[in-house]
Structure formats: C-alpha cells, structure tokens
Amino acid sequence: MSTLLLSHPACLEHLVPHGHPERPDRLRAVERALEAEKFQTLAREQAPMAPLEIVALCHPMDYIVALRDASPAEGLIQIDGDTSMSPGTFEAALRAAGGGIRAVDEVLGKRAANAFVATRPPGHHAETAKPMGFCLFDNAGIAARYAQNRHGIARAAIVDFDVHHGNGSQEIFWADKTVMYCSTHQMPLFPGTGAVIESGEYNTVVNAPLRPGDGADKFRDAFENRILPRLAEFQPELIIISAGFDAHYRDPLANLNLVEEDFAWATQKIMDVADRCAGGRIVSMLEGGYNLSALGRSTVAHVQALTGQ
Ligand SMILES: [Zn+2]
C-alpha cells in the first residue's frame, strides 16, 4: 500500500486580497514539490466536495448554509478580520474538507497506508460557528468525526504542529473525550489560545506552547515529554495531523526556528505511535506555511516520512 495524495485544482480558485499570505501559490508550491521523482509511487486522487451533512458533524447547518449563501458572484467579501470569500471559495472549502473524508475512507478501508491532503483553505482556526484565521471549516475535525460516525472509530487524535494554536479544533472537541487534540505552537501569537492549563473538559486537550525563538530542541522536547506520551496513553485508532509548516525559521508569520528535518522527525514520531496503536493509520492535512520555498521543502520532508523513505 502506498501513501495517497489528495488535492484539487478548485482549491486554487479560493482567491484572497492582494498581498494575503494564504494564497493560491502556496498550493502550487506544494504540488510542484511533490512532482519530484521520489514521489512517483504516490497514489493520487482528486479531493471530492464534502457533503454538507458531513461538514455538519462539526458545524451547524445554518452556519454552512450562511457561508454558501454569502458567496459573492464576483470580487471578494470579508467574513472575518483576515478571512474572505471569492466566488470559488465555498467549493474550495468543501474540497478541503472532502479530501480529509476521502482520505479517511481510503486509509480505514486499507486501500492506502496513510494520506496527505494538499488543499486550501486550511481549517484549524474555524470554530463551531465562526470562520477565523483564513479558515471556514475545521477540515481535521470533520475527518475525525467522520471516521467515528461512518467507520466506527472509537477514539481519534489530532496532532497539530502548525505554529499557530488550533483554537477551532480545541473548541470543537473541548468537551469530547473521544477525540484528543494535541498542539505545539508559538505563544504569544495569533489566536492567543493554547496555554498549558487549557486541557478540555476531560483532559483530552494537550497544549505544548513554545516561546518565540525556540527551535528544534524545545520542539522535540515538547513532543517527547508532553505530546507523545499522552497520545500513546490515549490509544487513538486513527491519527489526523494538522500539518502546518509555518514553524519553519523562514516563515514570515511567526518566530520559531524549525527546519524541514524537524517536521520529518515529528512525522516519524507520530507514525511510531500510530504503528503501535492505530495500525499505522494517519491522515495528514495541510494547514499553514507561508514562505513558498520553506513550504515546498517542508512538505517534501513530511510526505517522504509518510512514505517511509
Ligand atoms: Zn499557522
């Protein structure tokens, strides 16, 4: 079984204001990086649009419908301080969620070893009924709930190494003891949540904040001493990675000092836990990463680890 790569050209049609960091070129950089010879063994599929009732596993239907109805016929509309919609945004958002759903089907159906979903807009800042921080739907959260609802997975975990805290994933699963949410992130930084004491109603939220300037040592410490032990203890049957690459030292939105090897290392560590308790089942979903060359190289390191190279 090989690693499955899911993407869709419609995700390039989510247009943003000039100079906005979460831009279509990010996805082009990721796709270009994955054209390399060593990725010829990847299985590739187009991300389908998520059915609205599946998106509704994490978001109220009236929120979803309001976003659909807000879609502009032309130009851009602002739906949050730094989140906007263009005519192609709603479809892109459904495909970003749908990529995760398809990945769950393929990985849990044992047709793929694991999967990487290269789509945009990202998802981990979207709260139950609130778009935020470039995100409309919590793609990783929807994948987790879908795995539980349609495949009978009892416990799923989301591991989020994006440099920003995934306030949306935390909020959605705050009082859900069947989904663990673990995050390394810079603090202080947008969105301001993610302190260690934020641990959820059932102690299934695991936050490991890092300080501006921290690099590989502190990042690896946070994984080895806080996240991985809790993850292993939780015994998830599926691990979803919120794979943001904006903790890279070249990223313009934050001040951590990781390099691509650190993402490969974290990926391998997560795979080790997945091998022990989840039959190796991992679905990884692209979140942030705003320096195009760092994003491309970090994606290569991450996907290479997923393929076992
Ligand atoms: Zn981010």
Side-chain angles (χ1 to χ4, degrees):
M1 280 193 299
S2 52
T3 295
L4 173 64
L5 171 66
L6 284 145
S7 191
H8 198 283
C11 292
L12 298 170
E13 299 303 322
H14 163 46
L15 306 179
V16 294
H18 182 70
H20 194 283
E22 204 293 286
R23 57 210 191 275
D25 278 349
R26 296 181 59 240
L27 197 52
R28 293 189 182 98
V30 165
E31 288 174 345
R32 205 171 311 123
L34 295 176
E35 279 166 13
E37 179 73 35
K38 60 188 162 208
F39 295 122
Q40 295 312 305
T41 57
L42 290 178
R44 292 167 196 255
E45 279 186 40
Q46 300 221 313
M49 281 195 272
L52 302 194
E53 64 270 22
I54 303 296
V55 178
L57 294 172
C58 284
H59 304 282
M61 189 56 88
D62 56 359
Y63 167 77
I64 302 166
V65 168
L67 283 176
R68 184 191 64 195
D69 293 349
S71 296
E74 56 182 49
L76 301 177
I77 59 147
Q78 204 73 20
I79 54 170
D80 158 69
D82 40 31
T83 315
S84 55
M85 292 183 81
S86 70
T89 297
F90 193 71
E91 179 178 344
L94 290 183
R95 292 199 186 274
I101 290 167
R102 182 54 159 267
V104 165
D105 282 338
E106 296 300 292
V107 169
L108 294 182
K110 297 185 164 48
R111 291 180 293 276
N114 50 38
F116 180 63
V117 184
T119 50
R120 59 183 284 282
H124 71 157
H125 295 305
E127 296 190 348
T128 304
K130 186 170 146 194
M132 192 171 153
F134 320 158
C135 305
L136 284 79
F137 303 133
D138 189 346
N139 307 319
I142 293 165
R145 285 254 163 90
Y146 176 76
Q148 295 183 309
N149 273 265
R150 300 301 163 97
H151 291 277
I153 289 288
R155 288 173 314 283
I158 300 170
V159 181
D160 183 339
F161 54 66
D162 187 280
V163 80
H164 302 95
H165 181 246
N167 59 291
S169 301
Q170 171 168 298
E171 186 255 350
I172 288 167
F173 296 108
W174 184 260
D176 183 345
K177 61 184 165 203
T178 67
V179 177
M180 174 171 268
Y181 175 70
C182 307
S183 176
T184 52
H185 46 274
Q186 179 182 320
M187 207 171 179
L189 188 68
F190 179 89
T193 48
V196 171
I197 55 160
E198 295 167 28
S199 57
E201 204 73 36
Y202 300 100
N203 201 27
T204 47
V205 170
V206 183
N207 284 312
L210 302 167
R211 294 181 172 284
D214 281 353
D217 291 357
K218 293 282 167 48
F219 174 74
R220 294 185 186 208
D221 271 2
F223 257 85
E224 295 209 324
N225 298 316
R226 280 193 55 73
I227 289 180
L228 295 169
R230 292 293 308 280
L231 192 61
E233 183 185 81
F234 184 69
Q235 297 272 304
E237 295 165 47
L238 169 70
I239 299 178
I240 295 162
I241 303 179
S242 267
F245 301 107
D246 40 9
H248 194 281
Y249 78 98
R250 293 188 63 181
D251 198 274
L253 296 196
N255 305 95
L256 292 190
N257 284 308
L258 301 191
V259 294
E260 40 276 35
E261 288 76 16
D262 296 314
F263 297 119
W265 178 88
T267 306
Q268 188 58 58
K269 290 291 178 184
I270 297 166
M271 290 170 75
D272 291 344
V273 177
D275 284 342
R276 289 201 300 275
C277 62
R281 300 185 290 210
I282 291 181
V283 169
S284 175
M285 308 191 64
L286 180 65
E287 298 279 0
Y290 303 98
N291 174 285
L292 298 185
S293 79
L295 173 61
R297 287 186 282 116
S298 300
T299 301
V300 165
H302 175 62
V303 177
Q304 207 169 332
L306 286 177
T307 60
Q309 295 182 49

